[in-house]
Amino acid sequence: MSTTTPLEPDSFAITANLAQPRLPKWALVLVAVLSLGIAGLLTLLLGWSPFAGLVLAIALAAVGLPLWALLLEGKRSAADRLATSLVWAAFGVVLVPLVWLIWLVVKNGIGVINGEFLTYDMRNVVGAGGGIYHALWGTILVTLAAAIISIPIGLFTAIYLVEYGRGSRLARVTTFLVDVMTGIPSIVAGLFALSLFVLIFGPAIRIGFGGAVALSLLMIPTVVRSAEEMLRLVPSDLREASYALGIPKWRTIVKVVLPTALGGIITGVVLAISRVIGETAPLLVVAGATDSVNFNLFEGRMMTLPVYIFSQYSSPGVVPIGMEGDPPGYARAWGAALVLIAIVMVLNLVARIIGAYFAPKTERRR
């Protein structure tokens, strides 16, 4: 009778693996420092911008560490380090322009932010002075009106696609049209809104509500898509349990489906608002521009922050005689851009907080 003995681990293989040389822990730091040094030297010699030098440093680090691993550890470890380096390099290349943009806007715009800049408009202002009060209120009112138009239409469309029209021809056509609207240029939305109001009120019409209609055309596809995805994530068991209790479909949607998906829907709505609040072309076409405060969406031109930035940068004024520096319009444009970025960042933060607060409670969250 033969007995089988358990296989013992290959001690030679283990010993060989332990004897395999490894990169030291400080290898990444050394490669990063050398990459920054080489990129900085080339940047100074060739007159490149710091942004180009930083991208070159990231590329050198992404190649240098796997090459060192290939010479010391072998092909398998080098391939692993190459894949890891490429992922981190892609992340760095994406992060660099974002950080550069924020730093540039903060550097050029923080000096002009003060009480006068936030509470004064540009009426009768020649040269330095003035502010964004009229543009700030215009942005708030136009964006709020666009949200009031877009949210009900987008939400009801998503409810129809998920709860009532699944598999129907109308649902497929609606989904196709939503996808097409997602990709339309913003200037096309502005021209559509302008054409609509020109046909009704005449060629001289320029009102804030027209800008809200144009922005709503850009918001609706985002609201529909985000709400649709959130509604599809609601488990069918919740609907079936509600139907089993004799609750009608409309009440199941209101009391079961929507509360479950509320966090994701609100997050999608806030992100849609963040997406359109910085649009310039449709507002420039249909809402126009003005130097005074206008609180009436249905009468007169209305200034918004994106149009204010465009107008100040395209017509910055002149430097007073005997003074040096840039025209005053440039500083106002940078300051308005900083305020607009701050508003978008706050909206995204609010979306995160609301999404986390209204998210369905799980065992881990409890």
Side-chain angles (χ1 to χ4, degrees):
M1 183 175 179
S2 61
T3 59
T4 59
T5 59
L7 296 177
E8 296 182 358
D10 192 347
S11 58
F12 176 77
I14 296 177
T15 305
N17 188 37
L18 293 176
Q20 179 73 25
R22 306 285 298 175
L23 288 179
K25 294 181 179 180
W26 43 264
L28 179 60
V29 178
L30 179 60
V31 171
V33 171
L34 291 176
S35 301
L36 287 173
I38 295 173
L41 181 61
L42 291 176
T43 300
L44 293 176
L45 294 177
L46 301 178
W48 293 350
S49 66
F51 173 77
L54 189 55
V55 172
L56 178 60
I58 293 174
L60 291 176
V63 175
L65 189 64
L67 185 59
W68 191 359
L70 177 63
L71 299 175
L72 192 63
E73 298 177 341
K75 293 183 178 180
R76 185 173 182 178
S77 179
D80 176 71
R81 292 185 183 276
L82 177 61
T84 305
S85 300
L86 290 177
V87 171
W88 281 103
F91 171 73
V93 170
V94 172
L95 192 63
V96 165
L98 176 61
V99 175
W100 183 270
L101 173 65
I102 294 177
W103 178 81
L104 191 63
V105 174
V106 171
K107 183 189 72 170
N108 293 305
I110 193 66
V112 76
I113 302 295
N114 52 43
E116 178 183 352
F117 185 71
L118 297 176
T119 56
Y120 279 74
D121 57 24
M122 292 297 297
R123 186 174 184 179
N124 298 327
V125 174
V126 178
I132 61 170
Y133 183 72
H134 59 310
L136 189 59
W137 270 109
T139 298
I140 293 173
L141 293 176
V142 171
T143 307
L144 180 62
I148 293 174
I149 297 172
S150 306
I151 293 173
I153 296 176
L155 184 57
F156 289 147
T157 302
I159 292 174
Y160 169 76
L161 292 176
V162 176
E163 303 294 338
Y164 293 97
R166 183 174 298 180
S168 65
R169 179 178 299 178
L170 180 59
R172 292 194 296 269
V173 173
T174 303
T175 302
F176 173 74
L177 293 178
V178 169
D179 292 338
V180 171
M181 289 181 62
T182 304
I184 63 172
S186 59
I187 186 64
V188 175
L191 291 175
F192 170 80
L194 178 63
S195 302
L196 176 64
F197 283 92
V198 164
L199 289 176
I200 299 175
F201 300 103
I205 187 68
R206 296 293 187 277
I207 56 176
F209 184 72
V213 172
L215 294 185
S216 68
L217 294 176
L218 303 174
M219 277 187 64
I220 288 175
T222 306
V223 176
V224 171
R225 273 309 188 191
S226 60
E228 181 184 0
E229 293 301 323
M230 291 302 104
L231 293 176
R232 290 188 188 279
L233 292 177
V234 177
S236 299
D237 296 343
L238 296 179
R239 298 181 177 89
E240 294 171 358
S242 179
Y243 298 152
L245 296 175
I247 300 176
K249 188 168 188 175
W250 70 269
R251 194 170 182 84
T252 299
I253 296 172
V254 174
K255 295 294 185 179
V256 177
V257 177
L258 288 180
T260 305
L262 184 61
I265 292 174
I266 295 177
T267 302
V269 169
V270 176
L271 294 179
I273 294 174
S274 302
R275 179 240 187 272
V276 303
I277 197 173
E279 291 291 346
T280 306
L283 299 177
L284 184 63
V285 169
V286 69
T290 180
D291 293 333
S292 304
V293 181
N294 180 15
F295 294 104
N296 190 351
L297 285 168
F298 302 96
E299 183 179 358
R301 298 170 179 261
M302 182 170 286
M303 178 67 83
T304 56
L305 282 175
V307 178
Y308 178 89
I309 296 169
F310 170 78
S311 62
Q312 290 298 315
Y313 211 82
S314 59
S315 301
V318 296
V319 180
I321 298 176
M323 297 183 63
E324 297 181 355
D326 295 327
Y330 289 158
R332 290 193 290 260
W334 284 112
L338 180 58
V339 172
L340 185 60
I341 290 178
I343 293 174
V344 173
M345 293 180 67
V346 169
L347 287 175
N348 281 270
L349 180 61
V350 169
R352 297 288 184 180
I353 295 174
I354 292 176
Y357 181 79
F358 287 101
K361 299 296 185 295
T362 61
E363 293 297 330
R364 182 176 298 179
R365 289 171 60 88
R366 290 173 188 168

